Amino acid sequence: ENERIIEIALRDLEGGENSTFQTLVNPQRFVPNSHVHGITTRMVNKPDVPRMEDLIPILLQFVKSRQKPGGYVVLAAHNARSFDVPFLRSEFTRCKAEFPSNWLFVDTLTLAREMMKSKGEKSTSISLQALRQSFEIPLTGKAHRAMADVDLLSIILPRLTFVLKWSISDLIMKSFLPSDSPKSKKKSLR
């Protein structure tokens, strides 16, 4: 509730022209944990970096331009239920913007747990980087940077659903609405 989003990235898995969206976000405050994500206060607190209130309409337009008419939008993130969604919900509320009612979320952390359970394995770590190593995906970009994580997740998600033998319908059945996720936690989203 007291922290801000400092970077957003999206990728439409159907691909095509203009299928990615990425930007730093100006939180208008000090950025903690630069050692984790590599984003400094100096990088984002500049006039040419959009503030969240300016970015929300652009973000909504990007998603709308990619969605099928009348359908739901399914967004995937690793630890979405406890991290990404509460941050998005908090930012939309802070900016007095209506959160889209047709957005569903898939938490790949939950899928990774399901995969481990189906294999009869007890996971020691199911972080995005642990999954990258498990699926033998080469490291590209810096971990905890939004687009690098999105690129990695776009490779991991189909592999998780393949191992789980899940269809698109199964994935949607495992999705959740923003109202199903817990309140925001005091962490900063990349």
Side-chain angles (χ1 to χ4, degrees):
E1 292 178 13
N2 297 320
E3 301 299 335
R4 300 286 182 263
I5 293 174
I6 57 172
E7 187 175 31
I8 290 179
L10 297 141
R11 172 179 301 285
D12 183 342
L13 294 182
E14 289 190 358
E17 192 174 334
N18 301 318
S19 62
T20 60
F21 177 89
Q22 186 277 329
T23 186
L24 291 170
V25 181
N26 184 341
Q28 298 178 288
R29 60 174 53 192
F30 173 75
V31 174
N33 302 317
S34 292
H35 65 284
V36 173
H37 45 67
I39 299 171
T40 65
T41 304
R42 182 180 231 166
M43 289 169 64
V44 293
N45 282 335
K46 300 190 300 190
D48 62 329
V49 176
R51 296 171 302 143
M52 198 65 190
E53 47 270 17
D54 302 323
L55 186 59
I56 287 175
I58 298 165
L59 178 64
L60 291 171
Q61 182 55 44
F62 172 79
V63 173
K64 185 178 180 182
S65 76
R66 306 299 302 178
Q67 83 181 72
K68 306 258 188 285
Y72 281 93
V73 173
V74 180
L75 300 162
H78 200 69
N79 200 16
R81 188 177 296 271
S82 298
F83 192 75
D84 299 80
V85 173
F87 262 94
L88 278 172
R89 198 175 57 204
S90 178
E91 288 283 25
F92 270 71
T93 299
R94 184 180 66 77
C95 295
K96 295 176 181 55
E98 188 174 332
F99 205 92
S101 60
N102 66 335
W103 285 13
L104 297 173
F105 291 86
V106 171
D107 190 338
T108 55
L109 182 62
T110 304
L111 271 65
R113 287 183 181 131
E114 290 274 342
M115 179 186 71
M116 299 305 268
K117 185 178 170 184
S118 74
K119 290 179 166 184
E121 297 176 12
K122 293 193 179 197
S123 72
T124 54
S125 175
I126 47 179
S127 68
L128 201 53
Q129 292 308 312
L131 289 171
R132 179 190 64 76
Q133 291 171 340
S134 173
F135 286 121
E136 299 178 356
I137 301 167
L139 180 62
T140 55
K142 183 172 173 24
H144 303 297
R145 286 302 302 263
M147 201 66 203
D149 285 357
V150 165
D151 288 343
L152 180 56
L153 195 60
S154 70
I155 297 168
I156 288 174
L157 179 61
R159 292 184 186 191
L160 284 170
T161 57
F162 178 79
V163 170
L164 292 166
K165 297 178 175 77
W166 284 6
S167 66
I168 298 280
S169 298
D170 295 324
L171 197 58
I172 290 171
M173 292 286 287
K174 294 288 185 177
S175 67
F176 64 95
L177 293 166
S179 57
D180 298 332
S181 67
K183 294 283 186 197
S184 300
K185 294 187 177 180
K186 291 189 176 188
K187 293 181 181 177
S188 60
L189 182 65
R190 51 195 174 281

